Amino acid sequence: MLDLDNLALFRTIDPDNMLGHISGFPQQCRDAWESAQRITLPDRYRQARSIVVLGLGGSAIGGDLVRTLVQEECPLPIMIHRDYSLPAFVGPETLVIASSYSGSTEETLITAQAALGVGASLIAITTGGELAKWAEKNKLSLIRFSYASQPRAAIGYSFSLVLGILYRLGWIADKTPDMREAIAVVESWQAEIRETVPAARNEAKQIAQWLWGCIPVIYGAGHLSEVARRWKGQFNENAKAWASFEQMPELNHNAVLGYKSPKILQEKMRVIMLRSSLDHPRNERRFQVTEEILRQQGIPYRVVQARGQSRLAHLLSTVHLGDYVSYYLAMLYETDPTPVGDIIYLKERLAE
């Protein structure tokens, strides 16, 4: 197993400096939230009765995180849509947010055009590309940002800008105090898990070592349910590794029955439970009982406790830990975390 305290190897394996994007996450959130405060939108958008966020991959996860963060506060239903066909309910009373880092995501472009055709209000979030050109041509609300990275590494923007839209339209309270606290919590935790901290006292490195050669399954509930999805995606894209995620309480109605077979996988499974002191009390109890079942079945598991006071701090802190864990796992597999070769191959084949 590679020595995670040998930083010279990091530079060899990670020539495009994904580590720099991960360590820059707190500043990215700060910059993105400042940009969100300057968003101006037509007053008519306030008349919407539903919200649909169009996106895939790193451009969609921001919407997922926002939805779980504010779903008990925002009076409008929020749907994250990852497909080519637009849901039939979308129409003049729907606010559609088309999120595409590159501006070239074909599913997002197709559904955004369909949304315009049925009279929905549209906002485009992108760094440029065809989505920006199309939005400008049709005189739509366009929120452009500049941050050079892989889409998944721009999570501070895809999250904060969607959150800012909801605030600017009056559907949620100002999150500035929570954002300040969250960033401070993230920076504090980063000081404990950054690459210069030895594995002997670095939680992120220890989790990566524990996962090496195994299949991670991440559990989350409530405002951390989509953080579990984020961890799964980061293991896939950064470490180029298998991973899965489940959400509480649903996993207690099916997943707990799958621990027994096939036996050959039991020793290779690793369950990570993302826990929050703000979890619903019944979900807290469900996590406790699920731990009992995992112990009975001999499935290794680990509990990660979110930090901070607010839901936003809990959400961003666990996102940040997961990003570091996925990076260190990539190093253990001696895998460059930046390239997405098979995704590029898929796009090239689809374009033929």
Side-chain angles (χ1 to χ4, degrees):
M1 187 184 299
L2 183 142
D3 180 6
L4 287 178
D5 295 334
N6 186 342
L7 303 188
L9 289 176
F10 286 20
R11 290 187 286 272
T12 300
I13 299 170
D14 178 27
D16 294 316
N17 194 27
M18 177 61 74
L19 181 60
H21 294 300
I22 293 172
S23 63
F25 177 66
Q27 185 60 46
Q28 185 186 138
C29 289
R30 188 177 288 112
D31 293 343
W33 186 245
E34 289 178 0
S35 297
Q37 304 309 295
R38 298 189 294 271
I39 293 173
T40 57
L41 298 166
D43 284 341
R44 69 177 186 278
Y45 284 14
R46 298 173 185 269
Q47 304 306 312
R49 293 293 177 264
S50 60
I51 303 166
V52 175
V53 180
L54 309 176
L56 279 296
S59 297
I61 190 64
D64 285 314
L65 296 172
V66 168
R67 177 182 60 79
T68 53
L69 178 70
V70 305
Q71 61 188 1
E72 295 179 19
E73 176 185 0
C74 181
L76 276 63
I78 304 172
M79 175 184 181
I80 315 304
H81 189 63
R82 298 171 164 89
D83 212 333
Y84 291 97
S85 299
L86 198 66
F89 74 84
V90 175
E93 294 189 330
T94 308
L95 174 66
V96 174
I97 303 171
S99 176
S100 172
Y101 172 87
S102 67
S104 61
T105 309
E106 67 174 24
E107 300 95 327
T108 302
L109 289 168
I110 289 171
T111 46
Q113 291 165 6
L116 183 62
V118 295
S121 300
L122 269 110
I123 303 172
I125 300 176
T126 183
T127 61
E130 289 302 314
L131 181 60
K133 294 176 184 176
W134 175 78
E136 289 174 339
K137 178 181 177 182
N138 288 279
K139 296 180 172 56
L140 305 174
S141 296
L142 172 62
I143 301 173
R144 298 184 71 153
F145 65 95
S146 178
Y147 185 79
S149 70
Q150 288 286 344
R152 64 188 182 275
I155 183 67
Y157 284 94
S158 63
F159 170 77
S160 299
L161 295 177
V162 174
L163 188 67
I165 288 170
L166 302 189
Y167 162 59
R168 298 292 288 173
L169 289 174
W171 294 323
I172 61 172
D174 184 4
K175 300 303 177 188
T176 298
D178 288 352
M179 185 64 78
R180 288 174 181 157
E181 185 233 348
I183 291 171
V185 169
V186 169
E187 291 178 330
S188 175
W189 206 346
Q190 183 184 110
E192 301 175 23
I193 59 176
R194 64 181 307 122
E195 71 280 4
T196 54
V197 178
R201 49 189 176 87
N202 187 318
E203 182 181 11
K205 289 182 179 180
Q206 292 168 7
I207 295 174
Q209 291 169 332
W210 180 68
L211 292 174
W212 183 77
C214 299
I215 301 174
V217 183
I218 307 91
Y219 290 175
H223 53 290
L224 300 188
S225 59
E226 293 297 334
V227 178
R229 182 196 296 270
R230 168 69 175 185
W231 277 54
K232 179 263 184 190
Q234 291 294 84
F235 286 136
N236 295 155
E237 294 195 66
N238 285 344
K240 314 299 187 285
W242 284 91
S244 181
F245 78 100
E246 298 279 356
Q247 297 176 341
M248 189 73 81
E250 175 68 17
L251 72 90
N252 277 176
H253 294 265
N254 38 62
V256 293
L257 296 178
Y259 296 155
K260 296 181 179 181
S261 302
K263 295 292 185 184
I264 194 171
L265 285 182
Q266 284 186 329
E267 64 184 36
K268 290 295 185 182
M269 305 307 293
R270 295 289 186 272
V271 174
I272 299 173
M273 296 185 176
L274 304 180
R275 300 287 302 278
S276 166
S277 60
L278 301 175
D279 282 335
H280 190 284
R282 295 305 294 169
N283 279 333
E284 183 177 0
R285 181 58 180 152
R286 284 179 177 276
F287 273 120
Q288 293 169 353
V289 178
T290 301
E291 287 185 44
E292 295 176 12
I293 298 172
L294 287 166
R295 286 195 296 270
Q296 292 167 5
Q297 296 299 328
I299 307 296
Y301 72 90
R302 192 165 187 140
V303 175
V304 168
Q305 193 69 40
R307 297 188 181 183
Q309 299 299 314
S310 65
R311 287 189 175 192
L312 183 56
H314 285 203
L315 186 150
L316 293 184
S317 66
T318 48
V319 163
H320 197 46
L321 175 65
D323 286 359
Y324 265 105
V325 173
S326 72
Y327 181 85
Y328 293 138
L329 189 59
M331 296 301 101
L332 290 176
Y333 287 137
E334 300 185 49
T335 298
D336 185 344
T338 299
V340 288
D342 286 339
I343 293 177
I344 293 173
Y345 173 76
L346 273 164
K347 290 181 178 179
E348 290 174 345
R349 294 286 285 123
L350 289 168
E352 292 177 357

